[in-house]
Amino acid sequence: LHELIKNKEFPKKPILLLVPNEQILEQFKAQIAEFNQQSNIEILLKDIKEYESSYGLFDNSICELYFYRSDLLDTGDNVAKDKNAKRIEYKNFFSNEGWYIFLDEAHKGETGDSLRKEYIKELSKAKNTKYENGFIFNFSATFSDNIDLSTCCYNYNLEKFNQNGYGKNIFVFDENINLEQERDDKRAI
C-alpha cells in the first residue's frame, strides 16, 4: 500500500491497523520488527493517539502505520475524560482524507462489535468531501456470515493449497508389494 501511495497510484491517506486484543497486537508488532530488519522500507508503528501531532510527513523509505485495538473504539458517552484512558472516542480521529484501515478479526459479529464496525466504516470516510473516501481491508481466518465468504477476494484453503502442489503429499504404499522380490528381479536384469 505504501508503494502504491509513493508511486501515486493510490491517493495519500493515513494507514491504520485495528486488532481485537493485546495479544494479536503484540504479534503484529513482533512481525513488523522482523520485517524492518530485512527490508529497505521501515514500517514506523505509531499509536493512533499520536495521529494529530505527527501525520503529514511522507518519506519514501518510511511507512507510517497507526495502530489501535478495535475493541477500544467507542462513542464519547462511553469514554473516560482522562487523556490516558485506553477507551477512545473514534470521532476524535477522523481524517480529512479518510483512512486505509486494516481490520483484523473482521468476522466478529456480536452486537457491540457490529456497532464498532459502523464506527470503523465512519472512520474510513473522508471528513472533507473534496477527498475520496478511504478503504477497509477486512482480514479473518473465520467466516461467520455468507456475505463475508462471497465477498472474499480468493478462497485459498488447505485443499486447494495441496492440489496446487504445495505442502506435503502423502503416498500410501500397497501392502502386497514384495520389496525383496522386486530387488531380486532388478538384479537379474
Side-chain angles (χ1 to χ4, degrees), residues 155-168:
N155 181 12
Y156 198 61
N157 60 25
L158 182 59
E159 180 185 2
K160 290 179 183 180
F161 181 80
N162 287 328
Q163 285 174 350
N164 288 337
Y166 302 106
K168 294 181 180 180

Side-chain angles (χ1 to χ4, degrees), residues 47 93 105 107 109 172 186:
D47 189 299
F93 301 97
E105 296 292 329
H107 69 279
V172 179
K186 286 182 183 176

Side-chain angles (χ1 to χ4, degrees), residues 138 143 145-154:
N138 291 307
F143 293 110
D145 193 354
N146 285 339
I147 190 72
D148 292 333
L149 185 56
S150 64
T151 59
C152 176
C153 291
Y154 189 71

Side-chain angles (χ1 to χ4, degrees), residues 35-49:
F35 172 85
N36 284 342
Q37 292 175 352
Q38 303 170 7
S39 178
N40 302 359
I41 296 172
E42 178 187 359
I43 298 175
L44 182 61
L45 281 172
K46 293 185 173 188
D47 189 299
I48 195 172
K49 292 178 181 179

Side-chain angles (χ1 to χ4, degrees), residues 120-183:
I120 293 166
K121 284 179 189 174
E122 259 187 80
L123 195 57
S124 73
K125 294 178 180 174
K127 188 167 76 172
N128 189 330
T129 55
K130 74 177 185 175
Y131 293 100
E132 293 178 28
N133 287 330
F135 192 83
I136 300 173
F137 299 89
N138 291 307
F139 292 91
S140 178
T142 308
F143 293 110
S144 59
D145 193 354
N146 285 339
I147 190 72
D148 292 333
L149 185 56
S150 64
T151 59
C152 176
C153 291
Y154 189 71
N155 181 12
Y156 198 61
N157 60 25
L158 182 59
E159 180 185 2
K160 290 179 183 180
F161 181 80
N162 287 328
Q163 285 174 350
N164 288 337
Y166 302 106
K168 294 181 180 180
N169 295 313
I170 299 171
F171 184 79
V172 179
F173 287 100
D174 184 354
E175 292 178 8
N176 296 327
I177 294 177
N178 184 340
L179 295 176
E180 288 295 323
Q181 180 63 39
E182 194 176 306
R183 202 176 308 140

